[in-house]
Every structure is written in C-alpha cells, then in structure tokens.
Amino acid sequence: MNKQINTLTQIIYQAGDIIKKNWNKPRKISHKGEIDLVTDTDVAVENFLIQKIKTIFPNATFLAEEQKQTTKTKLEKETFIIDPLDGTTNFAHGFPFVAVSVAYAKNGKIVLGFIYLPIFNEFFFAQKEKGAFLNGKPISVSKENILKNSLIATGFPYDISTKADYILKLMKKVLLSSQGLRRAGAAAIDLAYTACGRFEGFYEIGLKPWDTAAGWLLVEEAGGKVTNFSNEPYNIYSNQILATNGLVHQALVNLLTA
C-alpha cells in the first residue's frame, strides 16, 4: 500500500500543478446553479485524477463532483471520492483558499484522505489508524477546551437564499459564544485546518460527499470528532457536519441544536 500511497501523492501534486498553471490565466466559468460555479480547471483536474488513478486502481469506482451523480452512490469495494477543486468560487475570484480533495474508501470505509492546497503548498494526508500529517509531519487537533477561547469555521450552502434565516441564527449563536467565526469557502480546507489545530471546530449544512470525505478522516486521525449537529454518527451523505477537536464538541452540539 505504501507504493500506492506514494503514487497517489504524486498524482495529487500534479493535479495541484494544473491549478497553479491556470491560476493567472483567464477563467472559463459556467454556472451549475445561481451561485454554483464550475470552471474549465475543475473539469481538467477531475479528468486528470480519474485517468491517472485508474492506471493503479483499474477496478475502482469514482464519486466525483463534476460527474453529476443523480443518486447516492454506495461505496463499493474500492471507491475514490474526489473534489478536483474545492473552492471553485474562490478560484474564480483569485482568492487562494482552494484545494484538491481525494479520499479512498475500501469495503465501505474511508481509509485514505488527501487534501492539497496548491497555492499554499500544504499537503494534508491521513491513513486509517495511522495518523494525520501535514507536509509529512504528524498533526493533531487543538487542545483548547473552552468554546469562548475557540476559533470556529463555517460555510454556506449554494441554496442559501432558502435557508438564510436558519444559517444566520446559527452564526449568531456561535459568534457570540466563541472567540471568532471564519468562512474560507472550502470545506476541505476547514476540515484540514480543524485537524491541524488552526480551528477548534467547523460546522456546515448541505455538503456533498466530495466536500467532506477526506477531511472527515483527517480530523478523526488527528484526534478529533465528526458527527452531525445532534452528535449522531456522520456519513458522507449527512446533511449536517460538525467536526471539532472533541473538547468543545458537546458545547457546539448544545448551541446548534438549541
């Protein structure tokens, strides 16, 4: 498996190079929804990843953002869950919080997670029961146990216009109960930052499997906890995600469900 991990790492670095190469070029942008964008770079990176991964995992299935799945895909014997460019709106505006997110599931369980931030040259990696790493060095979640001293991240769904009151209600609660609230616009990054202790927690609604699969493993392997808002087990099709260092988890559950 180590040889395959090394090869996957090289492939994901190369995918990030596509983003870097296109960073200062004009963007070809289209809309999947009112505020849901896709660029030619999203498509190019996804096609590259699938093509290259198939050469080392010829029997794998793929759950990827631009493939437009209309039904829930069960994790087969070997499944790759791919977000080729998390933070597409950021990329479209030249805001550098963008990431390539790749998770590998075997027999229904996520066992490898990769999140690469090409503009920042940060490569996060996690392997089931073997820890989480940033640029090859072990990482762990924050040791802060007081919510008032905690920095929390969140994000907004693409259908925010129909959920604005609910989202603002949660934001007000968390903002007044924490040290601050941040919104980078890429869930993979929020989860990676929670895993390495930059955030004490992250919550959001309406995410897709490719937004969270790799980051979910990262947080848990770094010693954190991932559930829905009600502290129930998380799965990649959950409509809510709450990821924390574990120490402020119950406090956030109490806020988000009150």
Side-chain angles (χ1 to χ4, degrees):
M1 193 63 181
N2 286 339
K3 183 178 179 181
Q4 291 169 314
I5 290 171
N6 290 338
T7 304
L8 284 169
T9 298
Q10 292 169 11
I11 290 170
I12 293 164
Y13 268 118
Q14 291 166 4
D17 287 341
I18 297 173
I19 296 172
K20 287 182 179 180
K21 182 182 72 174
N22 292 340
W23 187 252
N24 293 314
K25 293 181 179 180
R27 275 81 159 143
K28 184 178 179 182
I29 301 168
S30 57
H31 285 73
K32 295 186 287 185
E34 185 178 1
I35 59 171
D36 189 2
L37 308 181
V38 61
T39 72
D40 50 347
T41 301
D42 292 77
V43 177
V45 172
E46 183 168 303
N47 290 341
F48 173 84
L49 286 167
I50 292 174
Q51 179 186 1
K52 292 292 186 180
I53 291 171
K54 278 182 176 178
T55 65
I56 52 173
F57 291 88
N59 298 318
T61 58
F62 292 86
L63 178 56
E65 180 170 16
E66 306 311 330
Q67 287 189 332
K68 299 179 176 61
Q69 287 89 347
T70 57
T71 58
K72 291 182 179 181
T73 301
K74 290 184 179 180
L75 300 184
E76 303 293 345
K77 187 174 181 181
E78 290 185 319
T79 306
F80 282 89
I81 308 164
I82 297 173
D83 192 334
L85 204 174
D86 192 24
T88 299
T89 302
N90 292 345
F91 177 78
H93 289 268
F95 187 59
F97 287 86
V98 297
V100 180
S101 178
V102 177
Y104 170 61
K106 190 170 184 180
N107 299 324
K109 294 186 177 180
I110 297 168
V111 295
L112 299 176
F114 307 80
I115 296 175
Y116 178 38
L117 285 61
I119 309 305
F120 295 125
N121 291 313
E122 291 189 325
F123 196 101
F124 293 85
F125 168 69
Q127 184 173 7
K128 186 73 172 175
E129 298 179 355
K130 293 193 176 180
F133 306 85
L134 167 55
N135 292 343
K137 296 181 179 179
I139 57 173
S140 64
V141 293
S142 160
K143 300 295 187 276
E144 180 57 59
N145 63 0
I146 299 173
L147 184 57
K148 194 64 180 175
N149 297 334
S150 299
L151 188 62
I152 308 300
T154 193
F156 309 142
Y158 287 117
D159 60 347
I160 188 171
S161 61
T162 65
K163 298 180 174 68
D165 290 343
Y166 174 65
I167 290 165
L168 291 171
K169 177 184 174 183
L170 296 184
M171 286 179 63
K172 182 177 180 181
K173 288 181 181 181
V174 176
L175 187 60
L176 294 177
S177 301
S178 66
Q179 199 163 76
L181 192 58
R182 299 290 182 267
R183 197 260 176 164
I189 295 177
D190 293 326
L191 289 162
Y193 279 15
T194 301
C196 72
R198 295 172 185 170
F199 295 141
E200 274 68 43
F202 162 67
Y203 72 93
E204 191 169 346
I205 64 170
L207 291 171
K208 303 296 185 183
W210 43 82
D211 295 315
T212 63
W216 174 18
L217 182 64
L218 264 171
V219 171
E220 290 192 338
E221 286 300 313
K225 185 174 183 178
V226 182
T227 67
N228 67 9
F229 290 179
S230 300
N231 209 14
E232 297 166 342
Y234 183 74
N235 71 73
I236 59 170
Y237 290 106
S238 294
N239 188 53
Q240 306 167 336
I241 186 169
L242 173 61
T244 74
N245 63 1
L247 301 175
V248 298
H249 201 88
Q250 189 59 52
L252 279 167
V253 166
N254 294 345
L255 273 184
L256 297 172
T257 57

